[in-house]
Amino acid sequence: MQASEVARVVIALAVAVALAVLGAHPRVLRWERRFGLTVLASSGFPFLLLGILFRELGVLTNAVLTDMRPLFEFGLGWIGLTIGTHLDLRRFDRMPAALAPVIALASLLPMLCAAIACSLTLAGLGVVPGRGLVRDGLILMACAAVSAPANLDLLLRRWKSSMQLVLEVTRVDQLAALGILGFLAIYFRPDRTVTLWHLPRSGWFLMTLGLGVLLGVVIYLLLRNVPDRTQELALLMGGVALASGMAGYLALSVAVVCALAGAVLINVQSGERLVRTLRDVERPIYFLFLFVVGAAWRPDEWQGWVLGVVFALSRGYGKVLAARIASWIHKDLPEWRPLAVSLLPESSVAIVVLFSATVLGGDTSAPVRWAINAVIVGSVLTEIAVQAYQRREHRLLGEETGS
Amino acid sequence: MITRALFTIAAVVALTYATGSFVPRGALVTGSGAALAFGFLLIVAVQAARICDKLKMPRLTGYILIGLAFGPELAGIITAKMLADLALVKGTAVGLIAFLAGCELNLRHLRPRLRAIGTTALLTMLGAVVLLFAIFYALTYLLPVTLTFTTIERIAVALVAANVLAAYSPAVVVGILSETKAQGPLSETSLSIVVLADLVIVITYALSSTFAHGVFPSESGASALSMLVPHIFGSIGAGLVAGGVLALYASRVGSRSGVFTFAVLFISAEAGAALHLNPLLVGLAAGLLLENVTAIGGERLSKAAESVAMPTFAIFFAVVGAEVQFQAFLHTAPYAIGAAALRGLGIWAGARVAARMVGLDAVFARRLTFGLLPQAGVAIALVALLLADFHPWGPVVGTIVLGSIIVNQLIGPVLFRNALAAAGEIRAGEEAGGVADGDHQLA
């Protein structure tokens, strides 16, 4: 590498790191909460733009991204483990049984709607089965699943009891997205003839499950009765690196294996401190992924915008449909509008799914670029709709209270 | 505790070994190999640290032994490719270690003892260099590759080898002080001497290798002296910039300072690898600037960086252990052990003379010797230069030098820890650390 190139990479990385740390500052978090914004549409957005800028400047080259691959895998493992800790069966047991179909509906319908609409659009754009249609449809389906619990304070002011439901739905959404990601990793597994293990797909499925559970047990044993916090952090880092390294080495989905490990971990021990530690680092990792996904983003391709609009509309329609059915079958829930809006914003986990399924493997084909555009555009459109609704609600609430 | 640690090591070894069987031996798996090696080394090193705690041994020795046992030369679980991928972690670790050392060195506080520290550093180095020069000069009459050399050529060989082996180890000293939470005059003086002396060693190596290049003009390699100015001053400049950025961040933002410090040092290491900057000098300059020039002070950031320091130390020393060329060491063991013994003798003699000159206590001077015995980062980096720059004699002499470093690497930390315990500084540190909820305070 030339000295000028090095200087460019260093300045770029320094700017990205500084922004990532600043973006995780409590003041930024307070600001986002105040305006009811998700990471993707607020503090995360500059990272997408930064990614484009650095691609144009020749900073985020393939060589740099390859050098950073261990860091990416570690980040995916960390996020996966964090999402896995959402699968706390004790918490699910405490939920009223009648809410189970509501949660399932709220997760499944948007996925199905987005999958069908986006697959048809992709087919219309010339992507045919056997050339990535099914795969890209599934990726968009997984991205459509995840929602961020934004606007809760305002939208559910009148239905506080539903807060827990919305939170559970968003957690289940993330798990569902990882489930699809795991399926993608197994079904579209790269052909590595050089490897010594040759298993059928069902074998890799069992391998994913087994490895995730086993690593969960290993991390549990590592973290059990650790005397001090520094050692706990070191062992947690070691456990995540080992799990992500093993999954990556075996070409399994890193996030999925680590999520399984996280699920085991949270169910065998009460890990409030662990979850706090995991969440503490979560945000800068999202920024890092946004930065790299930004480098693969091509906003100049109209197909991506078409797909983005279809993605946002179909996903939104799915959420609305799910909210209407849920309100209809469960009378204690809020009316469908606020419920749908509270589930609409797109979670930054979508970026993790995109990154894991596309950018990490170095896939830069046109449908993948459109899918990236679709998720970003979809996120922004959804955010605009939610903000509009939020302002209206604010106004109405003000009128009601006479303020 | 020991049984549990051994069981964990066995389980992680079995898992990693099984994963390694996925691809044929020697095949490359980009990225994941490094993550796997990082996780494996970190977990196993922490278990080794627990065993060492029980056995009252330094954790660093445990980290090094773990790396040695599972590295490419012995068990082979960590392959050479994985080690190469971990080079960046190593560079960051050196930078972090130097940064922590710089943050502990308050020059105003040390001023009354600067004469004692300077004299001791100079005389211990001189003592070691004289004896090492003698043994390597004698060895040129025994090694087939140097048998036909002229006197001036023998002098050049001995000078370069003695210079490399005279290096100390700020990394080990900082690591031991950090893990034992030791405080007191021995801790402070040892740290000051090793940092000061290694700065001198880096400069004198450039001079001695320039002399050697002059004696062996046909050998490849540019004049080290011509590289000296950009190398040293560039590193110091980069360190001052990094220190300024850290000070600005700490004063304006403040949150997540530890992660930010680590990130800055990581970027410095990435850039340094390409621009041939010395991460030791970069980190040291940043730490010294923070502690001695800015209003922030080094303690705040060094404490914040503690959460990342422990895993970094574990990985760094495990990688150092894994890089040990065990087979080569076995071939040169007698010479290497002899050189290590003479180095220790030279340091001890230098410390004795310095003690008389500046009025230090004889027992203190003896204990100080043990703080100067360990070797790691700088010495290994200089050996790498020796191996690469001087063919055909460089690899032969370099292997002996490396063997000697291995001896100092394994024995040095144990002796230094014992010296700190004998001086009562570990207990003092533990008491203070207990009050500060485990936070280490070197000074």
Side-chain angles (χ1 to χ4, degrees):
Chain A
M1 218 189 265
Q2 298 275 319
S4 59
E5 278 179 75
V6 173
R8 226 165 35 203
V9 171
V10 170
I11 292 167
L13 288 176
V15 171
V17 165
L19 275 177
V21 176
L22 286 175
H25 194 270
R27 211 175 289 172
V28 179
L29 290 173
R30 276 201 299 274
W31 180 77
E32 276 177 7
R33 241 178 253 137
R34 191 174 155 202
F35 290 98
L37 292 166
T38 58
V39 178
L40 212 62
S42 55
S43 51
F45 204 74
F47 287 89
L48 289 170
L49 300 179
L50 212 60
I52 297 181
L53 178 72
F54 287 163
R55 181 192 68 215
E56 295 303 320
L57 291 174
V59 170
L60 285 178
T61 58
N62 281 342
V64 171
L65 293 178
T66 306
D67 276 355
M68 291 171 77
R69 197 184 157 101
L71 192 66
F72 296 149
E73 288 195 333
F74 181 81
L76 281 176
W78 194 276
I79 299 282
L81 201 76
T82 312
I83 294 173
T85 58
H86 293 163
L87 194 63
D88 186 348
L89 295 178
R90 284 163 298 203
R91 212 182 48 235
F92 281 112
D93 287 344
R94 286 196 294 271
M95 292 282 289
L99 288 180
V102 176
I103 294 173
L105 264 179
S107 292
L108 283 175
L109 274 178
M111 285 199 284
L112 288 175
C113 288
I116 294 166
C118 292
S119 299
L120 289 174
T121 311
L122 279 170
L125 291 170
V127 185
V128 290
R131 289 200 175 176
L133 179 67
V134 178
R135 183 172 158 272
D136 295 336
L138 282 169
I139 291 172
L140 287 167
M141 183 177 171
C143 292
V146 285
S147 41
N151 299 301
L152 283 180
D153 292 345
L154 181 73
L155 294 172
L156 298 176
R157 195 177 288 175
R158 284 177 287 183
W159 298 278
K160 275 192 179 145
S161 57
S162 308
M163 179 90 89
Q164 199 53 39
L165 170 78
V166 172
L167 288 173
E168 286 311 332
V169 170
T170 57
R171 286 172 184 147
V172 172
D173 283 348
Q174 295 182 356
L175 294 167
L178 285 195
I180 298 171
L181 193 62
F183 175 78
L184 277 167
I186 293 167
Y187 198 80
F188 297 99
R189 197 178 158 75
D191 179 34
R192 288 187 176 175
T193 43
V194 71
T195 58
L196 296 176
W197 298 4
H198 299 285
L199 300 177
R201 286 193 183 111
S202 54
W204 288 114
F205 169 69
L206 290 175
M207 187 73 210
T208 306
L209 281 182
L211 189 64
V213 172
L214 182 64
L215 287 167
V217 174
V218 170
I219 297 174
Y220 165 69
L221 290 175
L222 286 175
L223 298 179
R224 205 169 131 255
N225 301 331
V226 176
D228 63 88
R229 203 161 151 68
T230 313
Q231 259 198 33
E232 187 186 68
L233 183 69
L235 286 169
L236 182 61
M237 282 172 65
V240 172
L242 184 80
S244 52
M246 283 177 77
Y249 206 87
L250 300 174
L252 300 172
S253 170
V254 172
V256 174
V257 168
C258 290
L260 284 164
V264 171
L265 204 57
I266 202 70
N267 284 291
V268 292
Q269 73 171 34
S270 172
E272 270 178 37
R273 199 169 77 171
L274 171 81
V275 173
R276 234 187 358 258
T277 310
L278 285 168
R279 297 232 168 112
D280 202 36
V281 191
E282 193 183 12
R283 213 171 146 88
I285 296 176
Y286 279 129
F287 290 145
L288 176 74
F289 289 142
L290 280 167
F291 180 55
V292 182
V293 167
W297 184 24
R298 297 287 190 283
D300 54 334
E301 292 176 341
W302 64 268
Q303 295 94 331
W305 289 89
V306 171
L307 197 61
V309 173
V310 172
F311 176 78
L313 289 177
S314 57
R315 183 176 173 274
Y317 180 73
K319 295 275 180 195
V320 167
L321 200 61
R324 290 189 86 147
I325 299 173
S327 293
W328 180 64
I329 60 173
H330 206 286
K331 301 297 177 200
D332 292 341
L333 288 177
E335 59 181 74
W336 66 269
R337 271 193 199 87
L339 184 60
V341 172
S342 65
L343 291 170
L344 259 183
E346 213 174 295
S347 164
S348 35
V349 175
I351 291 295
V352 174
V353 171
L354 265 184
F355 180 86
S356 189
T358 58
V359 184
L360 190 64
D363 188 349
T364 51
S365 61
V368 163
R369 296 198 303 268
W370 301 340
I372 290 173
N373 203 10
V375 172
I376 295 168
V377 170
S379 164
V380 174
L381 290 178
T382 310
E383 204 73 34
I384 291 169
V386 169
Q387 286 299 314
Y389 184 86
Q390 190 187 18
R391 279 171 194 280
R392 186 173 152 269
E393 279 288 292
H394 259 303
R395 199 163 27 94
L396 288 176
L397 274 171
E399 279 167 12
E400 274 174 25
T401 55
S403 57
Chain B
M1 178 63 92
I2 291 182
T3 315
R4 189 180 149 188
L6 287 173
F7 173 77
T8 310
I9 292 175
V12 175
V13 166
L15 275 173
T16 314
Y17 187 77
T19 307
S21 69
F22 178 60
V23 290
R25 210 168 170 78
L28 303 179
V29 177
T30 312
S32 313
L36 183 63
F38 181 88
F40 172 83
L41 284 178
L42 190 50
I43 293 171
V44 175
V46 173
Q47 305 311 315
R50 286 180 178 170
I51 296 172
C52 289
D53 283 348
K54 278 279 162 200
L55 300 177
K56 302 267 178 216
M57 275 172 66
R59 290 176 178 182
L60 296 194
T61 307
Y63 301 152
I64 293 170
L65 287 175
I66 282 296
L68 180 67
F70 297 111
E73 292 262 333
L74 292 176
I77 287 181
I78 302 301
T79 62
K81 172 74 177 75
M82 288 174 176
L83 280 183
D85 284 345
L86 286 174
L88 202 56
V89 181
K90 211 176 137 191
T92 313
V94 173
L96 183 66
I97 288 162
F99 174 75
L100 293 177
C103 285
E104 300 298 339
L105 290 180
N106 188 311
L107 298 178
R108 197 177 306 155
H109 180 63
L110 287 174
R111 193 176 292 160
R113 277 178 287 157
L114 269 184
R115 187 175 154 257
I117 289 168
T119 310
T120 314
L122 189 73
L123 289 177
T124 50
M125 264 194 306
L126 205 63
V129 166
V130 167
L131 292 184
L132 287 169
F133 179 85
I135 189 175
F136 277 100
Y137 188 83
L139 273 177
T140 57
Y141 288 98
L142 298 174
L143 299 172
V145 74
T146 52
L147 268 179
T148 56
F149 278 14
T150 61
T151 305
I152 193 79
E153 286 172 336
R154 288 175 202 278
I155 288 172
V157 171
L159 195 64
V160 170
N163 200 155
V164 172
L165 256 187
Y168 298 139
S169 178
V172 172
V173 172
V174 171
I176 294 279
L177 296 184
S178 178
E179 74 172 55
T180 56
K181 300 178 174 60
Q183 292 176 9
L186 181 62
S187 313
E188 218 171 64
T189 313
S190 308
L191 183 64
S192 310
I193 290 176
V194 294
V195 169
L196 188 69
D198 265 15
L199 281 176
V200 176
I201 289 290
V202 171
I203 297 167
T204 53
Y205 180 78
L207 296 171
S208 60
S209 67
T210 302
F211 170 68
H213 277 299
V215 173
F216 301 96
S218 60
E219 305 305 332
S220 63
S223 158
L225 199 59
S226 66
M227 308 264 293
L228 183 67
V229 173
H231 176 75
I232 291 178
F233 290 100
S235 304
I236 292 173
L240 292 178
V241 171
V245 169
L246 287 172
L248 194 69
Y249 181 85
S251 62
R252 302 278 170 184
V253 183
S255 66
R256 297 169 197 265
S257 302
V259 178
F260 190 79
T261 306
F262 186 81
V264 167
L265 294 171
F266 178 81
I267 292 167
S268 305
E270 170 89 323
L275 299 172
H276 307 292
L277 299 180
N278 186 333
L280 186 93
L281 287 179
V282 174
L284 192 65
L288 282 172
L289 179 89
L290 273 168
E291 176 63 19
N292 296 286
V293 180
T294 65
I296 298 291
E299 198 184 351
R300 191 166 138 194
L301 278 171
S302 68
K303 270 190 178 173
E306 277 215 338
S307 58
V308 288
M310 189 259 185
T312 312
F313 286 165
I315 290 292
F316 172 71
F317 287 104
V319 169
V320 165
E323 284 175 344
V324 165
Q325 295 174 350
F326 196 67
Q327 302 300 333
F329 169 68
L330 289 181
H331 285 118
T332 59
Y335 300 141
I337 293 168
L342 276 181
R343 177 178 175 270
L345 188 66
I347 292 171
W348 175 78
R352 289 276 296 195
V353 176
R356 269 188 215 151
M357 282 173 69
V358 295
L360 287 177
D361 177 42
V363 178
F364 182 83
R366 183 164 52 81
R367 286 178 183 150
L368 191 61
T369 307
F370 298 124
L372 309 182
L373 286 181
Q375 284 189 302
V378 174
I380 292 171
L382 293 180
V383 171
L385 291 178
L386 170 61
L387 292 170
D389 284 357
F390 300 103
H391 281 276
W393 60 270
V396 179
V397 176
T399 307
I400 298 171
V401 173
L402 202 59
S404 198
I405 292 170
I406 292 167
V407 174
N408 292 323
Q409 216 173 60
L410 295 176
I411 295 172
V414 181
L415 294 176
F416 183 42
R417 191 189 190 281
N418 288 344
L420 287 170
E425 295 192 7
I426 292 182
R427 199 178 50 201
E430 273 171 359
E431 280 164 6
V435 174
D437 193 25
D439 289 328
H440 100 273
Q441 296 173 336
L442 297 182

